[in-house]
Amino acid sequence: MALAQLGVPAGLLAVVGTDEVADRLLEQASSDGVDISAVVRRHGTENALVVDVVDGHGQWRYLEDLPHATLLTEEDVQTAAEKLAAAIAVLVQLQQPAPAALAAAHCAREAGRYVLLDGAPDETARDALLAAADIVRTDAREAQHLAGSAIPDAATALRAGRDLLRRGPRLVVLGGRPNLTSEAIGAQLAQLE
């Protein structure tokens, strides 16, 4: 919605149920300028719910209820292939199953579009997703998952970022305190070596 409000064409590929809540959510997204034509409506499906919670120290977590039927399938992605291929960039939310995420990334990559991964790729498709990505963005927990161990300091984050850059993406944003991007990684690597 933020992109649409800034005048950038934005579309959504997702799954919702067919109830009144889904109707209202889609109506709101559409009125905010988001193209919802690729949204899949599944009969008898409860809608997913993700709630961001920020504690008194500024740390955030999310609580989620993602019924299996609300997750995208490869078939859902293939049905939306024309829309994905027409986009300038495709943001792949990695809470989706690995086969669907990989199908979306490949569809965008084959069309010469930017591929942005949000989250930590599932281990079964990690290498293929990283190879297809232009940008990877993680929060602190996802960064640790990708690195395979804790990231207690900036030096460890820089090494993890360097490893990720070697695997395909051109830009890596590792969430944490502070957030580090590949530009920061590049500037600071020389100091560590």
Side-chain angles (χ1 to χ4, degrees):
M1 286 184 229
L3 288 173
Q5 291 168 354
L6 292 170
V8 177
L12 180 63
L13 171 57
V15 178
V16 296
T18 56
D19 61 4
E20 184 181 337
V21 171
D23 292 342
R24 283 186 285 171
L25 291 171
L26 292 176
E27 183 179 305
Q28 181 64 54
S30 182
S31 71
D32 285 335
V34 176
D35 178 357
I36 60 167
S37 62
V39 172
V40 177
R41 306 286 310 257
R42 284 212 177 101
H43 295 283
T45 298
E46 292 183 25
N47 298 299
L49 176 65
V50 179
V51 178
D52 288 328
V53 178
V54 181
D55 67 21
H57 303 288
Q59 296 293 318
W60 69 269
R61 314 180 190 298
Y62 55 90
L63 307 173
E64 61 182 39
D65 177 24
L66 301 173
H68 184 73
T70 63
L71 299 175
L72 290 168
T73 66
E74 288 179 84
E75 183 179 317
D76 296 331
V77 173
Q78 293 308 319
T79 300
E82 188 174 312
K83 293 247 182 218
L84 294 173
I88 295 169
V90 174
L91 171 63
V92 180
Q93 181 58 255
L94 294 177
Q95 289 173 317
Q96 296 295 330
L102 194 53
H106 282 160
C107 183
R109 174 61 58 223
E110 289 168 8
R113 306 305 181 212
Y114 290 105
V115 176
L116 297 84
L117 302 181
D118 185 27
D122 181 288
E123 291 177 15
T124 62
R126 181 174 293 162
D127 290 339
L129 280 164
L130 290 172
D134 293 292
I135 300 171
V136 175
R137 191 224 56 91
T138 69
D139 63 24
R141 181 184 52 83
E142 294 160 343
Q144 287 185 14
H145 181 72
L146 264 177
S149 62
I151 302 179
D153 53 40
T156 305
L158 292 171
R159 284 190 295 277
R162 178 174 49 190
D163 177 59
L164 289 171
L165 288 171
R166 287 184 184 135
R167 295 162 79 182
R170 294 184 292 168
L171 174 66
V172 175
V173 180
L174 298 177
R177 291 186 181 251
N179 287 335
L180 293 174
T181 66
S182 63
E183 286 96 1
I185 290 167
Q188 295 180 30
L189 282 178
Q191 296 173 5
L192 293 175
E193 294 179 341

